[in-house]
């Protein structure tokens, strides 16, 4: 329907153009009065006519005052005979300049044939458009099942020097690079070359970048395609594209074929209503067959990336397919500093920029998050009409990424500002007084995102293990704002709602997942099972009795109660210090790490 409408519009446009040209050819340039032959004879006798041009039976008359007229004569008689029949004086007629022109044959035939020929021309043009579109459709039908894999261009050359951190992952992948460069030494000793390498890690940790770096180090063609590009609404297309993709990679061997987001087609089979005829499952089956079909001498490595390895089909992970699994972790502080330096190469930085301090403030950030911080810092500097990026913009961009942009339109009343200041001062004071808590880097009562204020606490070093004491102190710090409002205003507000959610969640995990309850002992409660129906979902079932559930709730309540008492005790004991911090916040709205440390020492 869309194609027909398009062709019809083209036909109407052509018809309009031809009609306009024909009208220009036939229509006179200016309006000319047509007079009778008798009146023309009278004008000749009165000496008013200057020139007459004869063109067939048409007469073009120019009067002495340059006015133009037209008339017609008998086609059988000449102009002179016709005028004499109307009584024109021969002497008067001699004063008129008479010119005879033969009519244009081309114009005559054009005017005679065009009205009949034009419909056939329009129909022919319409048929031509229809055949051309049909030919395009047939070509698309033939190319529909072709691969959509794209080969990285020369401008996309990446090496390990462009990838900071990931030391263990690079060491694991050096073997793949060695095979692509020198496959003979592996084959001669009888070693089987790995068919596939699966890169696993959280989003933004550099899986795609690392795959490009492997191809750059090995200096081989790099084909990349997303898992979702295999699957179409037509059955069999995905399997055909898989065959064509692997055939293309083999033709360019040695090469690397990279499949991003493998979980789009690599999920557990049998998860849909279509059974074994599901299009996604057929595509997965074809990938399994193609990876088994690699000849021993074929120098093609299949690399894939996913952040959900738990839902992949077991057949993909068996030896001979994706048997090499490389885990990419979030970068530590040294790796974060190196990543920031790489992203800072294209940005003019001020002399006061300390990327180590930025790395200290970004624990748990992935490589993509760090790139976003550098980009946000450059955007902030450009918005302020600066030519270089300073440390202030980079530190502000961290808070923007964590909490959102400043809500300058969210103006607090004096009472709300005081309550928020005491709330955040409570968090900071308890965090500074309890052992094992993370140091306070910044306190602010400027609204960001959905937070009315915030206390930024960051660890001194990256930690992978946490103690029970640390968790209990964290519970007290989370409840400190709630306790400060109670102590100072003898009233509660909705500002602590998010803190209470986090406290309850952490206390439940202490009891049910970490086995840190002295009463219930080293046990976990609740069983997570995977259900495969219309896709994969996680379902948590209770594997304990109602009596145990009552004890769990009681332990959670006890942990929260004890943490609340600790927070209340610290705030009551250090009430003067709490007032100092709150007043400084009301006055300046923001307290940085060094200023807060000095305030606590006074």
């Amino acid at each position: 329907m869309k194609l027909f409408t398009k062709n019809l519009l083209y036909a109407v446009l052509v018809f309009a153009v031809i009609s306009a040209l024909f009208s220009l050819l036939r229509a006179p340039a200016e309006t000319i009065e047509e007079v009778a032959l008798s009146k023309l004879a009278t004008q000749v006798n009165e000496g008013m006519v200057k020139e007459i041009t004869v063109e067939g039976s048409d007469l073009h008359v120019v009067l002495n005052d340059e006015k133009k007229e037209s008339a017609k004569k008998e086609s059988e008689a000449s102009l002179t005979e016709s005028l004499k029949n109307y009584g024109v004086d021969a002497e008067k007629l001699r004063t008129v300049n008479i010119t005879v022109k033969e009519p244009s044959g081309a114009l005559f035939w054009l005017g005679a044939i065009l009205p009949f020929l034009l419909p056939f021309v329009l129909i022919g043009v319409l048929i031509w458009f229809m055949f051309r579109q049909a030919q395009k459709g047939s070509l698309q039908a033939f190319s529909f099942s072709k691969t959509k894999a794209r080969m990285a261009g020369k401008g996309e050359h990446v090496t390990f020097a462009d990838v900071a951190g990931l030391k263990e992952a690079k060491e694991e992948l050096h073997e793949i690079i060695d095979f692509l460069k020198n496959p003979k030494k592996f084959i001669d000793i009888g070693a089987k070359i790995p068919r596939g390498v699966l890169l696993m890690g959280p989003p933004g940790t550099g899986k795609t970048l690392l795959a490009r770096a492997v191809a750059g180090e090995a200096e081989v063609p790099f084909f990349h395609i997303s898992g979702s590009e295999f699957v179409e609404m037509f059955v069999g297309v995905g399997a055909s594209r898989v065959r064509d993709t692997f055939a293309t990679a083999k033709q360019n061997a040695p090469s690397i074929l990279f499949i991003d987001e493998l979980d789009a087609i690599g999920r557990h089979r049998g998860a849909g209503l279509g059974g074994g005829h599901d299009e996604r499952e057929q595509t997965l089956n074809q990938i399994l067959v193609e990876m088994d079909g690699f000849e021993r001498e074929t120098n093609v490595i299949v690399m894939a990336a996913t952040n959900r390895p738990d839902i992949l089909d077991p057949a993909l992970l068996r030896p001979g397919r994706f048997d090499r699994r490389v885990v990419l972790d979030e970068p530590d502080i040294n790796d974060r500093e190196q990543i920031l330096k790489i992203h800072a190469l294209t940005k003019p930085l001020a002399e006061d920029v300390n990327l180590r301090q930025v790395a200290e403030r970004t624990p748990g950030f992935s490589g993509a998050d760090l790139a976003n911080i550098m980009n946000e810092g450059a955007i902030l500097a450009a918005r302020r009409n600066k030519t270089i990026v300073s440390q202030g913009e980079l530190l502000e961009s961290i808070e923007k990424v964590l909490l959102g942009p400043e809500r300058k339109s969210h103006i607090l009343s004096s009472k709300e500002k005081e309550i928020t200041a005491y709330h955040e001062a409570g968090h900071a004071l308890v965090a500074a007084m309890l052992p094992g808590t993370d140091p306070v880097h910044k306190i602010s009562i400027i609204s960001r995102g959905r937070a009315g204020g915030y206390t930024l606490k960051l660890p001194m070093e990256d930690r992978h293990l946490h103690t029970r004491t640390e968790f209990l102190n964290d519970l007290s710090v989370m409840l400190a704002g709630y306790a400060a409002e109670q102590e100072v205003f003898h009233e509660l507000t909705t500002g602590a709602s998010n803190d209470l959610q986090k406290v309850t969640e952490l206390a439940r995990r202490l009891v049910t997942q970490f086995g840190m309850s002295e009463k219930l002992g080293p046990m976990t409660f609740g069983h997570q099972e995977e259900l495969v129906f219309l896709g994969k979902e996680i379902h948590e079932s209770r594997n304990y009795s109602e009596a145990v559930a009552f004890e769990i709730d009681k332990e959670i309540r006890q942990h929260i109660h004890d943490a609340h008492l600790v927070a209340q005790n610290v705030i009551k004991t250090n009430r003067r210090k709490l007032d100092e911090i709150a007043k400084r916040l009301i006055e300046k709205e923001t307290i940085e790490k060094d200023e807060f440390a000095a305030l606590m020492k006074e």
Side-chain angles (χ1 to χ4, degrees):
M1 186 63 186
K2 187 182 292 186
L3 180 62
F4 175 77
T5 305
K6 183 179 178 181
N7 290 334
L8 184 62
L9 289 174
Y10 278 130
V12 171
L13 181 62
V14 172
F15 175 75
V17 171
I18 294 176
S19 299
L21 291 175
F22 184 70
S23 300
L24 288 174
L25 291 173
R26 299 292 295 173
E30 56 181 310
T31 304
I32 299 175
E33 182 185 358
E34 186 173 355
V35 299
L37 193 60
S38 58
K39 184 179 179 180
L40 178 60
T42 304
Q43 290 174 335
V44 172
N45 285 331
E46 292 176 355
M48 298 172 58
V49 179
K50 177 182 178 182
E51 180 182 346
I52 299 176
T53 302
V54 182
E55 190 172 348
S57 59
D58 296 329
L59 303 177
H60 304 288
V61 182
V62 180
L63 302 181
N64 290 331
D65 58 357
E66 300 299 332
K67 182 181 178 182
K68 294 181 179 180
E69 295 177 346
S70 64
K72 286 187 179 292
K73 70 177 184 63
E74 299 94 333
S75 57
E76 296 84 3
S78 64
L79 175 62
T80 305
E81 291 176 357
S82 298
L83 292 177
K84 284 182 178 179
N85 291 336
Y86 281 94
V88 175
D89 186 3
E91 292 297 328
K92 295 287 186 181
L93 189 59
R94 289 192 188 98
T95 61
V96 179
N97 183 16
I98 298 175
T99 306
V100 180
K101 285 185 177 181
E102 292 295 331
S104 173
L107 189 60
F108 171 77
W109 287 108
L110 184 64
I113 296 176
L114 190 60
F116 300 98
L117 187 61
L118 186 59
F120 294 100
V121 172
L122 292 177
I123 293 172
V125 170
L126 183 61
I127 292 174
W128 177 73
F129 272 116
M130 292 177 65
F131 272 107
R132 193 180 72 164
Q133 295 297 329
Q135 186 177 12
K136 283 184 178 179
S138 63
L139 291 176
Q140 288 176 356
F142 282 113
S143 63
F144 192 65
S145 61
K146 295 297 182 183
T147 178
K148 291 190 176 183
R150 298 167 296 279
M151 186 167 71
K154 294 182 179 178
E156 302 177 33
H157 187 74
V158 179
T159 63
F160 281 164
D162 302 308
V163 184
L166 304 175
K167 302 178 185 65
E168 295 81 4
K170 290 178 182 178
E171 291 175 2
E172 185 74 16
L173 293 172
H174 267 297
E175 183 179 297
I176 305 298
I177 298 170
D178 195 16
F179 159 67
L180 290 170
K181 286 185 174 182
N182 307 298
K184 191 174 183 301
K185 71 176 184 179
F186 292 92
I187 296 173
D188 290 345
I189 204 171
K192 289 185 177 180
I193 305 305
R195 311 275 181 158
V197 179
L198 182 62
L199 304 177
M200 304 182 300
T205 48
K207 297 183 290 293
T208 304
L209 183 65
L210 191 61
R212 290 183 183 275
V214 172
E217 291 287 337
E219 299 179 348
V220 297
F222 179 78
F223 296 90
H224 57 98
I225 186 172
S226 172
S228 60
E229 291 182 279
F230 286 112
V231 182
E232 290 283 353
M233 62 182 292
F234 303 108
V235 176
V237 173
S240 179
R241 286 182 178 173
V242 169
R243 289 191 292 269
D244 192 52
T245 300
F246 278 81
T248 303
K250 290 177 184 178
Q251 290 171 3
N252 293 272
S255 62
I256 290 178
L257 173 60
F258 178 66
I259 304 174
D260 202 3
E261 303 299 341
L262 181 65
D263 51 273
I265 52 174
R267 289 170 176 258
H268 277 277
R269 286 171 287 184
L273 293 177
H277 297 287
D278 180 60
E279 167 64 2
R280 184 186 56 78
E281 293 188 3
Q282 289 195 22
T283 306
L284 174 57
N285 291 338
Q286 190 62 44
I287 288 180
L288 299 177
V289 171
E290 290 292 336
M291 293 193 71
D292 268 345
F294 274 177
E295 296 82 4
R296 187 164 172 262
E297 292 79 14
T298 301
N299 301 347
V300 177
I301 298 295
V302 183
M303 300 186 72
T306 181
N307 52 18
R308 303 185 65 188
D310 55 307
I311 66 171
L312 294 180
D313 193 279
L316 272 174
L317 305 178
R318 75 154 176 81
R321 292 187 179 126
F322 288 106
D323 48 1
R324 293 296 178 92
R325 273 154 265 175
V326 180
V327 179
L328 281 68
D329 293 321
E330 291 175 344
D332 59 20
I333 184 170
N334 295 319
D335 291 342
R336 291 198 298 274
E337 184 179 6
Q338 295 302 317
I339 293 172
L340 289 169
K341 287 180 179 179
I342 289 177
H343 292 296
L345 293 175
T346 58
K347 297 173 179 62
L349 301 181
E351 294 182 358
D352 67 333
V353 170
N354 184 355
L355 295 180
R356 182 73 180 187
Q357 184 181 2
V358 178
E360 289 175 355
R361 287 203 177 192
T362 52
F365 277 47
S366 66
D369 294 330
L370 297 171
N372 190 27
I373 284 174
M374 296 300 296
N375 185 56
E376 288 291 342
I379 291 174
L380 285 173
R383 190 183 300 165
R384 294 166 182 172
N385 298 319
K386 293 183 177 181
T387 56
I388 56 175
V389 183
S390 66
Q391 183 78 352
E393 276 87 30
L394 293 180
L395 296 180
E396 188 175 344
S397 66
I398 297 175
E399 298 167 22
K400 184 177 181 182
V401 171
L402 281 173
L403 302 168
E406 286 186 6
R407 296 167 60 194
K408 297 180 180 178
S409 60
H410 185 67
I411 302 175
L412 299 175
S413 65
S414 58
K415 185 63 176 178
E416 289 179 334
K417 190 174 183 180
E418 185 183 10
I419 293 174
T420 305
Y422 271 100
H423 183 102
E424 299 303 330
H427 285 305
L429 176 63
V430 175
M433 299 302 294
L434 293 181
T437 56
D438 297 329
V440 176
H441 279 251
K442 186 175 183 178
I443 318 168
S444 175
I445 58 172
I446 300 174
S447 299
R448 277 188 178 274
R450 301 182 63 181
Y454 58 94
T455 301
L456 190 62
K457 300 190 295 88
L458 298 171
M460 294 293 293
E461 57 185 11
D462 295 314
R463 289 179 296 186
H464 304 285
L465 295 176
H466 300 272
T467 64
R468 182 175 182 270
T469 303
E470 290 176 5
F471 283 134
L472 295 178
N473 288 339
D474 285 340
L475 291 177
S476 298
V477 173
M478 291 178 190
L479 289 169
Y482 179 90
E485 291 183 22
Q486 277 185 316
E487 173 68 22
V488 178
F489 303 102
H490 306 290
E491 185 60 273
L492 297 175
T493 68
T494 57
S497 59
N498 184 253
D499 294 332
L500 299 181
Q501 291 176 8
K502 292 180 179 179
V503 162
T504 307
E505 181 183 354
L506 179 57
R508 181 169 294 276
R509 293 176 67 189
L510 281 175
V511 175
T512 61
Q513 294 183 28
F514 302 149
M516 293 182 177
S517 169
E518 294 179 353
K519 186 173 183 179
L520 295 174
M523 293 179 63
T524 62
F525 302 93
H527 175 65
Q528 290 186 349
E529 57 184 356
E530 299 173 349
L531 298 180
V532 180
F533 178 73
L534 296 178
K536 234 176 130 60
E537 64 177 28
I538 305 298
H539 174 72
E540 185 174 4
S541 61
R542 289 175 54 171
N543 56 1
Y544 47 87
S545 65
E546 289 295 331
V548 175
F550 175 77
E551 292 297 330
I552 290 174
D553 292 339
K554 189 176 178 181
E555 278 293 285
I556 293 172
R557 192 179 300 111
Q558 188 64 43
H559 278 311
I560 296 175
H561 177 71
D562 293 343
H564 186 213
L565 290 179
V566 171
Q568 283 183 324
N569 183 45
V570 171
I571 287 172
K572 287 180 180 180
T573 307
N574 301 274
R575 174 62 189 272
R576 185 179 59 83
K577 188 63 68 177
L578 178 72
D579 293 336
E580 290 180 10
I581 299 171
K583 288 178 182 177
R584 186 73 62 87
L585 271 177
I586 295 172
E587 178 187 350
K588 300 184 63 178
E589 293 188 339
T590 299
I591 299 177
E592 291 289 346
K593 177 183 177 181
D594 295 337
E595 185 180 358
F596 177 72
L599 193 62
M600 294 300 296
K601 286 181 180 179
E602 291 177 359

